[in-house]
Amino acid sequence: MGHNAFENLIVDNPADRLFRVNRRAFTDPSILEAERVGVFDRSWIYAGHESEIPEPGDFRARDVAGRPVILARGSDGEVRVLLNTCTHRGTLVCRESSGNTKTFQCPYHAWTFSNQGDLIGIPREEAYSGAFDRRELALATAPRMELYRGFIFISFNPQVDDLVDYLAGARAYLDLVCDQSEVGMEIVSGTQSYCMRANWKLLVENSIDGYHAPITHQRYVEFLYETGVDKSYIQNRWTGQGLALGNGHSVIVNEPMGGRPIAHWTPMFGKAKKAELAAMRQKLTERFGEERAYKIAQTSRNLFIFPNLIINDIMAITIRTFFPTTPDYMDITAWALAPVDESEENRHLRLDNFLTFLGPGGFATPDDVDMLEGCQKGFANREVGWSDISRGMHRDEPWSNDELQIRTFWRQWHELILQAQPADALTGF
């Protein structure tokens, strides 16, 4: 598959303030194949959080970038991401979603591996010659794995930039999330898993699109009014800023729309919470100074880390990833992130917000699913060949309801799939 096949997918014309995406990008199976090797295999991909495997022997099995993997904390205390395939004949060595174990045993021929990936047991090993070497048959790992403040990333590209360099400007906004606790952040027990009959890039666009929120999510706005939130406060929520952060990453920064139990009081919390939240704010100010404390407590952020990680630090902190299975179908997984030292009451408030707005049955997510599946159906009208992503191109400082952050994604995406070579398909998932 040559470069020319993908060169006409983007119209990027800064002089005329025009940016358009060919809708073939959402429907063509050959583009999905190029994405698998050119985007997902060449980027850093979020695999999990070290708080999910706190003790030696803990593990989590999940799919990451289309591959079954095991997040494992070995008996040595080290975090690893093992590829979940027996090095003998290939079947899964771990079939439980989570647990604690010293070993993973293949159910096919009982080859046994330690929780550090070493091959430690082979039935009737005497049948093999002297050339047989157990060390060569340890469980495989991704070519690269790095952690940043508890976030575990892997890459199948040995030459990928170091994670800190790859994160570029997104680091600063990830730090605003992590600095909400002095003792660390943790994934709250429980996982949201659902699917959508739409192309995965539609969810990228939607997750960093401030334009649709007051329209598509009008039910939630009305709910906030009912809780006593001032209308002017809600209206100001839509006047934040969209920022490009390098390497395809971007963020929407706004004043918080709804209440977060992080040092900032809103009417929905009730007057009894005022003193506690003021004390939390004072502690943040002492740690970081007034300016940074304000950013942590009184701004919200939709942070996108290319290619498929969304961290919504809005009503609650949601970590969301998604992977395509076909051009018009994706699997989505989401977790709640919270301060380890959060009070039981504040944890309850956080999870209520998490489910009320961002959950699969909440105010926002069903709206978004309906809209994006509608977009995918609309793409059947091939006579309408382009989607317009030009909003705000004439502004020096784009607003949060402009589309700078979406254009940032598309430019990085286009650059990567243009580099995808035919031979790479042999190493894709």
Side-chain angles (χ1 to χ4, degrees):
M1 185 175 298
H3 292 179
N4 291 339
F6 301 142
E7 284 178 346
N8 65 346
L9 294 176
I10 301 291
V11 172
D12 189 356
N13 185 346
D16 291 335
R17 313 296 200 269
L18 285 175
F19 192 101
R20 288 174 181 162
V21 174
N22 192 309
R23 291 182 178 179
R24 179 181 155 224
F26 301 101
T27 61
D28 189 335
S30 70
I31 291 174
L32 177 57
E33 292 305 309
E35 290 171 340
R36 285 173 168 161
V37 296
V39 175
F40 288 109
D41 276 8
R42 291 182 177 171
S43 304
W44 282 104
I45 305 293
Y46 175 77
H49 194 273
E50 65 175 346
S51 65
E52 297 181 85
I53 45 173
E55 301 297 330
D58 285 351
F59 70 88
R60 301 270 177 175
R62 60 179 52 134
D63 286 351
V64 177
R67 296 169 168 88
V69 304
I70 310 166
L71 276 63
R73 191 179 291 273
S75 296
D76 60 358
E78 294 296 315
V79 172
R80 295 175 178 83
V81 180
L82 307 171
L83 304 190
N84 191 1
T85 179
C86 183
T87 51
H88 176 218
R89 298 275 285 279
T91 197
L92 303 178
V93 299
C94 180
R95 296 182 177 232
E96 301 293 328
S97 60
S98 63
N100 184 283
T101 187
K102 291 183 178 179
T103 61
F104 299 104
Q105 187 175 79
C106 173
Y108 196 5
H109 297 94
W111 282 30
T112 303
F113 304 85
S114 75
N115 58 21
Q116 297 170 200
D118 299 317
L119 177 57
I120 58 174
I122 302 171
R124 304 197 177 191
E125 189 173 358
E126 71 277 3
Y128 292 94
S129 74
F132 183 85
D133 188 345
R134 286 189 183 193
R135 292 170 298 181
E136 295 177 353
L137 293 163
L139 291 179
T141 60
R144 299 284 297 276
M145 187 203 79
E146 291 187 28
L147 278 73
Y148 184 78
R149 302 197 67 175
F151 290 78
I152 305 168
F153 289 83
I154 61 175
S155 180
F156 296 95
N157 175 12
Q159 284 77 46
V160 70
D161 290 343
D162 290 345
L163 179 60
V164 165
D165 295 328
Y166 178 85
L167 290 173
R171 280 182 61 201
Y173 292 91
L174 198 53
D175 288 341
L176 291 177
V177 173
C178 297
D179 286 342
Q180 292 172 23
S181 170
E182 288 187 83
V183 298
M185 306 293 286
E186 65 180 359
I187 296 291
V188 180
S189 179
T191 303
Q192 297 176 354
S193 298
Y194 54 105
C195 57
M196 196 182 305
R197 296 185 183 280
N199 187 273
W200 70 279
K201 298 183 292 298
L202 286 171
L203 187 52
V204 173
E205 290 185 344
N206 182 81
S207 299
I208 46 178
D209 171 22
Y211 191 24
H212 79 284
I215 303 164
T216 305
H217 304 314
Q218 182 61 34
R219 290 183 306 139
Y220 184 69
V221 174
E222 292 171 356
F223 164 74
L224 290 180
Y225 291 159
E226 292 173 3
T227 67
V229 176
D230 185 79
K231 289 191 176 184
S232 63
Y233 184 74
I234 298 297
Q235 291 163 358
N236 289 337
R237 170 63 175 81
W238 314 119
T239 57
Q241 191 173 16
L243 299 170
L245 303 175
N247 294 332
H249 318 314
S250 63
V251 69
I252 295 176
V253 181
N254 281 306
E255 298 293 324
M257 183 208 307
R260 299 182 300 158
I262 308 169
H264 179 60
W265 183 83
T266 60
M268 66 191 302
F269 284 151
K271 293 182 179 179
K273 297 290 292 180
K274 271 190 172 182
E276 177 193 351
L277 294 171
M280 290 172 66
R281 173 61 180 274
Q282 179 60 33
K283 196 169 185 179
L284 284 174
T285 302
E286 291 169 359
R287 288 174 63 200
F288 299 112
E290 180 60 36
E291 182 179 354
R292 186 167 181 79
Y294 176 86
K295 288 181 179 179
I296 293 171
Q298 286 184 243
T299 65
S300 61
R301 58 211 123 253
N302 287 36
L303 175 62
F304 170 64
I305 297 177
F306 186 94
N308 68 326
L309 172 61
I310 295 290
I311 301 176
N312 286 315
D313 186 6
I314 41 180
M315 303 83 185
I317 306 172
T318 300
I319 298 173
R320 179 186 290 158
T321 64
F322 37 94
F323 295 96
T325 55
T326 64
D328 59 357
Y329 193 94
M330 73 181 104
D331 292 312
I332 305 155
T333 310
W335 304 266
L337 185 74
V340 171
D341 54 347
E342 189 167 51
S343 70
E344 184 177 349
E345 183 182 10
N346 284 349
R347 180 64 61 89
H348 175 78
L349 285 170
R350 177 184 300 279
L351 293 181
D352 184 61
N353 283 345
F354 175 62
L355 294 170
T356 298
F357 187 72
L358 295 162
F363 280 101
T365 301
D367 292 338
D368 291 332
V369 171
D370 184 43
M371 293 301 106
L372 301 190
E373 290 187 343
C375 290
Q376 194 70 39
K377 290 178 181 177
F379 295 155
N381 290 302
R382 292 184 294 274
E383 295 77 10
V384 183
W386 298 86
S387 291
D388 187 88
I389 318 288
S390 302
R391 185 175 172 83
M393 285 187 78
H394 66 291
R395 282 195 251 269
D396 293 332
E397 295 185 2
W399 298 353
S400 61
N401 58 8
D402 288 334
E403 293 166 340
L404 166 72
Q405 46 284 12
I406 302 175
R407 293 190 291 273
T408 297
F409 162 78
W410 280 112
R411 287 172 177 138
Q412 181 75 2
W413 172 89
H414 197 220
E415 179 180 338
L416 289 178
I417 66 161
L418 285 177
Q419 297 172 9
Q421 299 294 322
D424 292 340
L426 296 175
T427 61
F429 63 79

